[in-house]
């Protein structure tokens, strides 16, 4: 067989990148979402309990992305509550959407183990989201339904509201959920790509010279070879790995020696382990039975060697592939 090394993108798993691109798209949407929205109205209005207050109409444009959001925040004092209704009216005065909010504001003091302090909590913001199917003018109306104190006293005073109307608003809560889900899918897809392919050979020996044979190859199938080495503290900084591939008749079709670096793990001055890895990719033009033999030099420090060969593997990036073609 003739041997030639080429860099190729043929075996990239685009599905894995599709999941990653989905994560990037949602992340970019989250970043640009504040710039997408447009404020149509922002003012303070005072509402009596006897009649609703209508604000000036706003021009609503239909958007493929985002919705119309109406926010109304009640301006009430501490230890008071208020119930109000937000309405959205069309040009004929018909209510097309509405929502009721009961807001409150409370303060108090606390005592514990001789210490004391104060606390303050409130929930006075009500909102309404709608999607426009076509361009139209809409009117926001506010109605004061009830008003009182947390002590049970009813109040007849008017209530001021900060009203803000924005178009093109995106709910970032769903975006964050989408980012998390897409990120998990992207990690799973990329991990699966790195482990892709049917395992044709898996040999582990407590020595330095594993050998295995399996049926693999084909013009459109990528073969991934991985050699994992564990050694003792006497191992040098680099090891030589000699790889030999034989065909079904025992004829040698490939032979090459490669130097790999050794990574040592030491904790508190004590040696834990030393590992080295080699990975090579092949395209073998003729599918058949092939034997893989590994020799490691020097072999004295080697405690364990693992030989893994996968057939039909995929990659994430362009890679250098050794092509073995029949002469």
């Amino acid at each position: 067989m003739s041997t030639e090394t080429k860099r190729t993108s043929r075996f990239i798993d685009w599905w894995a990148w599709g999941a990653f691109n989905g994560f990037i798209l949602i992340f970019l949407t989250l970043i640009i979402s504040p710039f997408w929205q447009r404020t149509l109205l922002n003012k303070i209005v005072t509402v009596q309990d006897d009649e609703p207050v209508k604000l000036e109409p706003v021009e609503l444009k239909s958007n493929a992305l985002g919705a119309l959001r109406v926010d109304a925040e009640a301006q009430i004092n501490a230890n008071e509550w208020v119930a109000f209704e937000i309405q959205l009216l069309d040009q004929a005065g018909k209510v097309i959407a509405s929502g009721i909010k009961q807001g409150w504001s409370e303060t108090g003091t606390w005592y514990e183990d001789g210490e004391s302090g104060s606390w303050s909590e409130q929930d006075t913001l009500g909102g309404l989201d709608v999607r426009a199917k076509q361009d139209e003018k809409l009117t926001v109306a506010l109605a004061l339904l009830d008003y009182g104190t947390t002590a049970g006293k009813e109040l007849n005073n008017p209530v001021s509201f900060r009203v803000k109307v924005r178009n093109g608003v995106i709910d970032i809560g769903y975006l964050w959920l989408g980012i998390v889900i897409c990120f998990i899918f992207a990690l799973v897809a990329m991990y699966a790509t790195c482990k892709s392919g049917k395992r044709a050979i898996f040999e582990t020996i407590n020595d330095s010279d594993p050998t295995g044979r399996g049926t693999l190859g084909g013009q459109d199938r990528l073969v991934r070879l991985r050699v994992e080495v564990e050694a003792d503290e006497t191992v040098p900084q680099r090891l030589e790995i000699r790889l030999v591939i034989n065909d079904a008749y025992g004829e040698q079709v490939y032979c090459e020696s490669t130097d790999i670096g050794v990574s040592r793990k030491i904790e508190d001055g004590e040696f834990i382990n030393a590992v080295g890895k080699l990975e090579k990719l092949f395209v073998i033009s003729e599918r058949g039975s092939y034997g893989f033999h590994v020799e490691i030099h020097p072999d004295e420090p080697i405690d364990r060697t693992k030989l893994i060969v996968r057939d039909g593997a995929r990659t994430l990036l362009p890679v250098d592939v050794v092509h073995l073609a029949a002469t």
Side-chain angles (χ1 to χ4, degrees):
M1 284 190 175
S2 63
T3 303
E4 184 180 11
T5 301
K6 299 179 182 178
R7 191 162 187 84
T8 179
S9 304
R10 285 176 54 197
F11 302 101
I12 291 179
D13 188 351
W14 297 110
W15 287 106
W17 284 109
F20 181 75
N21 290 336
F23 162 75
I24 295 297
L25 180 61
I26 298 177
F27 179 75
L28 292 178
T29 303
L30 178 67
I31 297 298
I32 68 173
S33 60
F35 305 100
W36 185 265
Q37 59 186 261
R38 184 167 61 95
T39 301
L40 305 178
L41 185 67
N42 187 5
K43 65 184 303 184
I44 295 178
V45 297
T46 301
V47 183
Q48 301 279 353
D49 60 356
D50 53 353
E51 63 177 289
V53 172
K54 295 182 180 179
L55 285 73
E56 59 265 29
V58 293
E59 188 77 26
L60 178 60
K61 300 289 185 180
S62 60
N63 288 326
L65 185 64
L68 177 77
R69 172 169 296 174
V70 180
D71 289 327
E73 185 173 11
Q75 312 289 308
I76 59 177
N77 298 318
N79 299 317
E80 293 182 351
W81 63 270
V82 62
F84 60 95
E85 182 179 13
I86 305 173
Q87 297 179 344
L88 205 56
L89 315 175
D90 61 13
Q91 288 181 281
K94 180 181 178 181
V95 178
I96 61 173
S98 66
I100 295 177
K101 170 70 177 181
Q102 181 164 319
W104 51 269
S105 177
E106 294 183 355
T107 61
T109 56
W110 57 268
Y111 301 92
E112 183 177 355
D113 298 332
E115 298 182 354
S116 64
S118 61
W119 58 268
S120 176
E121 295 181 353
Q122 66 176 20
D123 179 13
T124 58
L125 179 64
L128 193 65
D129 291 344
V130 295
R131 288 292 302 272
K133 296 182 179 179
Q134 59 185 10
D135 296 352
E136 57 182 323
K137 284 189 177 181
L138 299 177
T139 301
V140 177
L142 286 177
L144 181 61
L145 304 179
D146 212 347
Y147 183 31
T149 67
T150 55
K153 179 181 178 181
E154 292 190 4
L155 301 175
N156 295 320
N157 303 331
V159 177
S160 296
F161 293 86
R162 164 70 70 176
V163 181
K164 183 181 290 187
V165 182
R166 292 169 292 165
N167 196 22
V169 176
I170 301 173
D171 191 340
I172 64 173
Y174 290 105
L175 291 180
W176 279 113
L177 179 61
I179 284 177
V180 173
I181 293 176
C182 283
F183 182 70
I184 293 175
F185 280 163
L187 288 181
V188 171
M190 290 185 173
Y191 177 79
T193 299
C194 295
K195 299 294 183 180
S196 61
K198 180 181 179 181
R199 195 163 65 183
I201 299 173
F202 185 86
E203 297 290 339
T204 301
I205 64 172
N206 296 325
D207 202 347
S208 60
D209 303 330
T211 298
R213 178 170 288 274
T215 301
L216 46 84
Q219 189 62 43
D220 297 320
R221 300 181 69 84
L222 182 67
V223 176
R224 185 194 303 271
L225 165 87
R226 185 177 179 88
V227 179
E228 300 178 1
V229 180
E230 296 181 16
D232 60 29
E233 62 272 17
T234 65
V235 66
Q237 294 294 325
R238 302 192 67 81
L239 291 171
E240 178 189 354
I241 296 182
R242 183 172 182 265
L243 171 65
V244 176
I245 302 177
N246 299 319
D247 62 13
Y249 304 102
E251 297 292 334
Q252 180 176 297
V253 297
Y254 178 82
C255 179
E256 185 180 35
S257 294
T258 306
D259 285 347
I260 65 168
V262 177
S263 176
R264 298 170 179 265
K265 183 177 180 181
I266 298 176
E267 292 183 359
D268 300 327
E270 183 178 349
F271 175 84
I272 304 299
N273 64 5
V275 296
K277 296 177 183 179
L278 170 68
E279 183 169 290
K280 279 186 172 295
L281 300 171
F282 298 88
V283 170
I284 305 176
S285 61
E286 295 182 357
R287 185 169 183 82
S289 175
Y290 293 92
F292 288 73
H293 176 68
V294 172
E295 296 178 1
I296 303 176
H297 302 283
D299 59 355
E300 294 84 0
I302 307 305
D303 293 331
R304 178 178 299 176
T305 306
K306 185 182 295 184
L307 170 64
I308 306 170
V309 180
R310 293 183 179 272
D311 182 45
R314 309 294 293 180
T315 67
L316 292 173
L317 296 170
V319 291
D320 291 327
V321 177
V322 179
H323 292 255
L324 303 181
T327 57

